[in-house]
Amino acid sequence: MTRASLDKQPHEVATMFDDVAANYDRTNDVLSLGQSRLWRKEVAKAVDARPAQKVLDLAAGTATSSLPFAATGAYVVPCDFSLGMLKVGKGRHPHLPFTAGDATKLPFKDDTFDAVTISFGLRNVQDTDTALRELFRVTRPGGRVVICEFSQPTWKPFRTVYSEYLMRALPPVATAVSSNPDAYVYLAESIRAWPDQPALAARLQQAGWSKVAWRNLTGGVVALHRGYKPQ
């Protein structure tokens, strides 16, 4: 299986990410035109991890996204359901507590983390609403969630150009830089099928999160959503 279908069967998605794990971070830098590094910096600011806080980095992959949290002195748990990603990550960062886990049934106790975050992974989960409730469950009262995900550009002319890039330019670029270009065709399709900023905010609220807000990055190509668990 090289390409997951949009019904997001977990074993298909996990296999797809296993296949691209070795070159995943480099490929993302190329396909995002270098923007992925900026996005990671903005996520780190939004999470605002502090020394001794516990942070769950869900869909962490090889833990590139986890490193800024660890650098603050926080205890960060990189969690992913792709064993291939975890294996590559553990080889690079053996000091981090990599954990295999499904977003719809997290292997953590209630009220464990001060902050939970997921970057570019929520749209790959089979049941988004269950995942949002699971993140809520494992967050302590007063804790926060930060979601970084592809979204809908706010300027209509740019939105059209962006859509054309996803479906026409991305596949040949992926063929040149990735060991599994079919995986990136799936990723492009999953981005186009993902709800816009207000729709995701509404789903966060339905899962129990309060003070939900979002901020657009790169003209809405990516959006940062944040919320809090009521005390």
Side-chain angles (χ1 to χ4, degrees):
M1 189 70 191
T2 57
R3 175 181 166 197
S5 56
L6 284 178
D7 62 0
K8 302 173 188 175
Q9 295 301 314
H11 67 281
E12 294 180 2
V13 178
T15 299
M16 182 191 73
F17 279 103
D18 289 346
D19 289 344
V20 300
N23 297 315
Y24 185 70
D25 294 319
R26 179 177 66 87
T27 303
N28 281 350
D29 280 343
V30 172
L31 294 180
S32 70
L33 308 179
Q35 291 294 296
S36 60
R37 297 184 183 189
L38 168 66
W39 298 334
R40 282 196 294 270
K41 289 180 180 179
E42 293 302 318
V43 170
K45 291 178 185 177
V47 171
D48 192 25
R50 308 287 178 84
Q53 286 189 338
K54 294 180 180 178
V55 178
L56 172 63
D57 188 12
L58 187 57
T62 61
T64 300
S65 58
S66 304
L67 298 178
F69 310 133
T72 69
Y75 178 78
V76 58
V77 178
C79 182
D80 204 288
F81 73 160
S82 166
L83 297 182
M85 286 283 193
L86 294 172
K87 183 177 180 180
V88 171
K90 193 65 175 177
R92 295 175 182 172
H93 314 293
H95 62 291
L96 293 178
F98 285 86
T99 302
D102 186 329
T104 62
K105 193 175 182 181
L106 293 172
F108 308 108
K109 295 180 179 179
D110 296 357
D111 306 334
T112 297
F113 296 97
D114 297 284
V116 295
T117 184
I118 179 169
S119 293
F120 308 111
L122 189 59
R123 74 181 189 284
N124 297 319
V125 176
Q126 186 178 35
D127 188 334
T128 302
D129 297 318
T130 297
L132 292 176
R133 289 193 296 269
E134 273 292 275
L135 287 170
F136 185 84
R137 178 184 66 80
V138 302
T139 303
R140 67 164 180 81
R144 57 207 182 274
V145 63
V146 173
I147 297 172
C148 182
E149 190 52 89
F150 290 108
S151 198
Q152 299 296 323
T154 54
W155 189 43
K156 188 173 181 179
F158 177 59
R159 188 159 60 239
T160 302
V161 172
Y162 175 63
S163 181
E164 289 295 310
Y165 169 73
L166 283 177
M167 301 313 299
R168 294 191 182 186
L170 190 147
V173 172
T175 299
V177 300
S178 171
S179 59
N180 185 355
D182 281 344
Y184 287 89
V185 175
Y186 157 78
L187 291 175
E189 292 172 347
S190 70
I191 291 168
R192 295 218 316 181
W194 186 245
D196 64 11
Q197 293 90 324
L200 181 55
R203 294 173 85 160
L204 276 160
Q205 291 170 332
Q206 291 167 4
W209 298 97
S210 66
K211 301 179 182 177
V212 174
W214 73 84
R215 181 162 63 91
N216 290 316
L217 302 177
T218 317
V221 168
V222 166
L224 283 182
H225 282 72
R226 183 162 53 183
Y228 295 86
K229 184 171 180 175
Q231 290 184 314

